[in-house]
Amino acid sequence: MATPDDAGFDLAIVAEENQQHFRLLELPPDLLNLITSANAPVIKLKSSQNDSGMNSAVLCTPDKTYEIRQVSTSNTVFVTESTSQSKIPDVSSQPVLKAIAQPQSTLELLPCSATSAIPYIVAALPSYTSTQHQSSSTAVSKDDLFANIPLNDGQCEAGWIELACFESGDGQHAVIPTASVKTTVWKAVLDAATATGIDLTGELNRDDLSRLLNMESDWPEAVSTAVLRSMSTPDLTSNTTTLDPELCAKRVGLALLKDLSGPTSGSISTAPFKTKWADLLPEKWRTHAALNLLNGCYRLENGGKDILIVEDSLDAVAAANGGSTAGSGSTLGAKRKWHEKFRASKKAA
Amino acid sequence: MPTIPIYPQSRQGATHHSNLPHVLQTPSGLAVVEIQGTIKCSTPHTGAHDDVLAAVGRVVFPYYDDAKGAGDNAWQKRVYLYIGQHQRLTGEVKKLANPMALLRRRAASNDGHDELEIAEIVHYKLTFAHRPEPVGANGGE
């Protein structure tokens, strides 16, 4: 029969004021693999700045986002450290399990569904117009911007590229070029390609790019680079850039539609729009100018004669807000389903 | 601060060696002990100023045999925690469905920003889920 005098460990608790602070974080298998891998990356706890809800904290790896749920326990949980010698007077010199911390809750991670960073970027960044270079908003650098978006870096970067964002001036002012700037820049690139005989539908090497981008122009080269990048498929291994026909047609079409609709977002005639759109594409890609590429960004009126842009930025922001309300709604639901929580802990016990 | 970095577990430093059963041993010597209930402790905290301890009891692995090695898991089903001389909690060594990272504030945070690090990843915990049983001073029943 075992007795208290058997070889074992003294359990001792460090006085509360000297306890350390630990957080327990449950690790899903993919996260465990990541952080135990040879070159484990730094992972990030993020929260959005304006959200005050509890649910706004997320944990981000370079390419995954997890929602964090804080689960309290009524049990006493100790983090212990084993030391080989007892420092307690009047107790045997047995090894000691020293309880150095008493975490009150565990952080559980739930994988998040893919969300676009675009609404966050649109809300945070000033737009770049050719006439007025800085809007009144305070300057935000790209790093600051990403730090404030509760999504992983991959998602942030994808949104950044899609919107053709760039850092202007001293590299501290991240901006989004307006549709009109994008269209103008693209047209200049297209003209330059015709003038220099560069085929935009083929592979573009560095030389080609510098010839296309170093044209006499009113805007910094960063704009043109960003616009071209928003149309190309990312290929980090090669030194060449290849424009993607679908992406190119889509970005050009959307920018043109926004530009033509003007600030009032009024409807414009469909047929001339489609012609202008096709004219703005390299000759070989004219056929790619099809309305289905812009699905979700427009509405046809007048039996298809007129096209009306659906203010995607506003909608997207609204959708993002709606998304977060839906999110908090679901937490409320989850809180009410306390018995389901209990069931899990019952099974575990 | 909207973004707090969590640094991966540092791989340097000597591996901590303790007499704990192997599955509970971790490089840093940290482990997790869970007790269903609260320990009310009247023992005065004693010890040096920076390391004040209250002895609450003893953890005993009655069936653990170091010689049997890693293949033997039967001992994990029973662990005793003696509280004082007259009470005993029965528990077990449990493998966690999801391993847990122990996060703590990083010591060398440079400019006052919050930085966390993964101090340890634990795969097992000691859990005591039963109500205490009375035992005699010598542990007999």
Side-chain angles (χ1 to χ4, degrees):
Chain A
M1 188 65 225
T3 75
D5 299 324
D6 274 357
F9 298 83
D10 288 319
L11 180 66
I13 302 174
V14 172
E16 220 162 280
E17 62 269 22
N18 289 332
Q19 282 187 7
Q20 301 177 32
H21 290 280
F22 277 91
R23 285 299 201 125
L24 301 180
L25 174 71
E26 267 198 20
L27 300 169
D30 46 355
L31 185 59
L32 178 69
N33 287 339
L34 182 75
I35 62 175
T36 52
S37 62
N39 271 320
V42 173
I43 53 177
K44 291 170 182 171
L45 273 179
K46 283 185 161 192
S47 58
S48 56
Q49 216 165 28
N50 40 4
D51 267 325
S52 52
M54 272 172 56
N55 211 33
S56 59
V58 292
L59 186 121
C60 298
T61 69
D63 60 355
K64 282 207 175 70
T65 306
Y66 300 90
E67 207 172 283
I68 296 178
R69 205 169 61 167
Q70 186 163 326
V71 183
S72 312
T73 168
S74 58
N75 293 353
T76 308
V77 178
F78 292 115
V79 173
T80 63
E81 191 174 42
S82 51
T83 54
S84 48
Q85 278 190 342
S86 172
K87 284 185 189 158
I88 314 167
D90 310 326
V91 181
S92 58
S93 58
Q94 294 280 354
V96 176
L97 270 184
K98 202 164 71 167
I100 54 170
Q102 199 176 331
Q104 301 296 324
S105 59
T106 305
L107 304 177
E108 281 184 6
L109 299 178
L110 307 164
C112 278
S113 51
T115 321
S116 167
I118 287 179
Y120 295 99
I121 299 179
V122 170
L125 291 191
S127 37
Y128 174 90
T129 62
S130 45
T131 48
Q132 168 210 357
H133 284 216
Q134 291 309 324
S135 94
S136 53
S137 329
T138 44
V140 192
S141 71
K142 185 180 177 183
D143 288 346
D144 286 347
L145 171 72
F146 283 17
N148 282 308
I149 298 177
L151 296 171
N152 65 52
D153 285 354
Q155 289 168 313
C156 291
E157 188 69 33
W160 172 270
I161 289 176
E162 180 170 342
L163 288 171
C165 299
F166 67 100
E167 285 181 314
S168 79
D170 49 4
Q172 289 299 307
H173 296 78
V175 288
I176 315 171
T178 60
S180 139
V181 167
K182 284 183 199 170
T183 310
T184 315
V185 167
W186 171 246
K187 196 160 183 318
V189 169
L190 201 64
D191 290 347
T194 321
T196 52
I198 293 171
D199 182 11
L200 283 177
T201 62
E203 265 191 3
L204 304 170
N205 59 35
R206 284 200 177 161
D207 212 30
D208 295 336
L209 283 180
S210 63
R211 274 158 73 202
L212 286 176
L213 300 180
N214 287 341
M215 305 298 287
E216 194 83 3
S217 58
D218 297 335
W219 52 83
E221 195 183 317
V223 195
S224 327
T225 313
V227 168
L228 280 190
R229 198 181 41 183
S230 73
M231 301 172 177
S232 44
T233 40
D235 185 3
L236 303 173
T237 51
S238 90
N239 273 329
T240 58
T241 304
T242 311
L243 297 187
D244 181 84
E246 297 257 301
L247 275 181
C248 172
K250 191 173 169 179
R251 305 273 188 263
V252 170
L254 190 58
L256 180 69
L257 182 58
K258 261 191 205 170
D259 187 22
L260 292 178
S261 307
T264 52
S265 304
S267 59
I268 53 170
S269 307
T270 311
F273 163 68
K274 282 171 88 171
T275 317
K276 271 189 190 159
W277 184 9
D279 284 347
L280 272 179
L281 294 178
E283 202 56 37
K284 284 186 198 166
W285 289 350
R286 282 188 74 92
T287 48
H288 283 282
L291 280 183
N292 61 1
L293 276 183
L294 306 183
N295 270 348
C297 303
Y298 70 94
R299 208 169 61 222
L300 290 177
E301 287 189 334
N302 247 343
K305 274 184 205 151
D306 288 343
I307 184 166
L308 181 70
I309 189 158
V310 177
E311 214 24 275
D312 65 338
S313 53
L314 289 180
D315 274 10
V317 170
N321 290 341
S324 67
T325 7
S328 49
S330 68
T331 19
L332 196 65
K335 267 181 204 157
R336 290 203 181 121
K337 289 180 191 160
W338 55 272
H339 51 276
E340 283 187 7
K341 256 189 190 173
F342 248 72
R343 195 184 302 149
S345 63
K346 258 186 176 171
K347 266 183 206 156
Chain B
M1 185 63 192
T3 293
I4 301 169
I6 303 176
Y7 288 86
Q9 199 176 353
S10 122
R11 272 160 228 280
Q12 285 108 37
T15 339
H16 187 96
H17 185 78
S18 75
N19 299 324
L20 276 176
H22 286 299
V23 297
L24 291 172
Q25 281 195 29
T26 56
S28 63
L30 297 173
V32 172
V33 176
E34 183 169 349
I35 298 167
Q36 193 166 334
T38 320
I39 293 183
K40 293 258 188 264
C41 183
S42 56
T43 323
H45 285 82
T46 55
H49 181 69
D50 59 336
D51 193 16
V52 187
L53 296 171
V56 293
R58 295 180 52 68
V59 179
V60 175
F61 303 93
Y63 301 120
Y64 180 69
D65 184 355
D66 206 18
K68 280 188 183 166
D72 172 44
N73 293 326
W75 64 272
Q76 295 180 7
K77 286 283 157 230
R78 184 137 302 195
V79 183
Y80 292 132
L81 170 60
Y82 291 93
I83 304 284
Q85 288 294 303
H86 304 291
Q87 287 187 87
R88 186 178 74 182
L89 293 171
T90 304
E92 59 178 321
V93 175
K94 217 167 84 176
K95 191 173 184 1
L96 298 167
N98 280 327
M100 275 196 296
L102 305 181
L103 304 182
R104 70 174 161 211
R105 188 157 293 171
R106 202 169 185 229
S109 42
N110 34 26
D111 41 7
H113 288 319
D114 271 349
E115 288 185 341
L116 301 177
E117 67 177 346
I118 298 170
E120 192 53 81
I121 296 169
V122 293
H123 297 261
Y124 291 85
K125 69 176 172 185
L126 267 177
T127 166
F128 297 94
H130 299 282
R131 61 173 65 230
E133 305 162 279
V135 287
N138 60 358
E141 282 164 68

